[in-house]
Amino acid sequence: MRFAVSPMWEVGTSFRALTGGAAHPVHRPWVEQVRPRLAAAGLDRGWLAELVPPAGYVADFLNPAPAGPAPDLATELAGILATPEDRVRRDLDRLGEQAGRLGPRLRALYADPRARLPRVVEEIGTYWELALAPYWERIRAVLDAEVFHRARQVAEHGAGHVLNDLHSSVSWEDDVLRLVRRKPPLSRPSAGPGLLLVPSAFTGPHPFARVTPPGPPQLAYPARGVGALWVRRPVAGTAALAAVLGRSRALLLAELDSPASTTELTRRTGLSAAGVSQYLTALRDAGLVSAHRAGRSVLYARTAVGESLLLAAAS
């Protein structure tokens, strides 16, 4: 049994949260920021919209089993590109059975997976930049904390205790792992070796299981700490920080509790557009903010270093 933090699990589950109309209330601040960007880029009616329906089955090839504890998005996208054609078609057959028929993009993907998969991967990269990259350090901190917590549980109480503590629908007893929502039953030989546990910020109230031998079964489950993910943190101590960074740079760093464009920050702070651009460049060069392309604009977000600096100034 091992744990992994998977960007692609967050892609599929977050896309469903945005488009399925039933996002958990916890994610409302994120949804309100991201949904307009998604619509402006046309991603609400692209490849992902057909591969990740509002409910039910999601194509398994979108979640290649992570080879390590924390693969980056590029590694997982390479895994998607390497999916055998028969695997792609098998997943699409299942999607077609669920929906009654495949949409036009998925019919084209079925006809020629090798030619169409690069387009799917390109759209996933665009979605990542719009919806997840500006928030990834914050999300990743929650997922890493979850893995650390579970690793301590394993060390102190054993793997069985961890499995019984993951979720009310998951239990381990008499050498049998039971998933309330999983049917039909699976034997060890048919399920593949080992078990991969994937904490997720967007799975919603229930875990998701993915079984695609010969890879290990994957169980994506709700991570602890998600409830505080989008809570706006009050910022204090900016006066002390201003003495080091300058008043305008400290103000901008404090304003980036959620990712924002230069135009948005200009409106919020009253600084000139040229000044905001200059100060953000300085903050980015210092590793305190990161920049992410979102269509025709760029979103700026605080990095973990920027978060730590604000917290230190406030203490």
Side-chain angles (χ1 to χ4, degrees), residues 175-189:
D175 291 338
V176 176
L177 179 65
R178 291 179 171 83
L179 307 177
V180 171
R181 293 161 56 86
R182 175 76 193 187
K183 296 177 182 180
L186 291 166
S187 65
R188 167 51 62 198

Side-chain angles (χ1 to χ4, degrees), residues 217-235:
Q218 298 182 52
L219 182 63
Y221 68 93
R224 299 160 60 257
V226 170
L229 193 54
W230 312 117
V231 173
R232 188 170 179 87
R233 287 159 262 186
V235 176

Side-chain angles (χ1 to χ4, degrees), residues 129-244:
E129 284 299 311
L130 288 173
L132 293 174
Y135 309 89
W136 184 240
E137 291 209 35
R138 182 179 295 191
I139 295 169
R140 178 68 189 271
V142 169
L143 302 182
D144 285 347
E146 167 68 14
V147 172
F148 179 76
H149 170 74
R150 298 301 180 183
R152 285 195 61 180
Q153 281 189 319
V154 171
E156 294 174 6
H157 306 290
H161 174 88
V162 171
L163 293 172
N164 282 319
D165 189 56
L166 281 183
H167 191 269
S168 59
S169 67
V170 180
S171 64
W172 173 261
E173 187 178 3
D174 298 329
D175 291 338
V176 176
L177 179 65
R178 291 179 171 83
L179 307 177
V180 171
R181 293 161 56 86
R182 175 76 193 187
K183 296 177 182 180
L186 291 166
S187 65
R188 167 51 62 198
S190 65
L195 176 64
L196 183 59
L197 299 176
V198 184
S200 173
F202 292 98
T203 54
H206 302 291
F208 288 94
R210 177 185 183 274
V211 181
T212 53
Q218 298 182 52
L219 182 63
Y221 68 93
R224 299 160 60 257
V226 170
L229 193 54
W230 312 117
V231 173
R232 188 170 179 87
R233 287 159 262 186
V235 176
T238 53
L241 198 56
V244 179

Side-chain angles (χ1 to χ4, degrees), residues 12 15-17 19-22 49-59 94-95 98-99 181 208:
F15 187 87
R16 176 168 282 179
T19 59
E50 294 188 27
L51 286 166
V52 184
Y57 175 71
V58 174
R94 188 172 171 185
L95 270 174
Q98 173 180 280
R181 293 161 56 86
F208 288 94

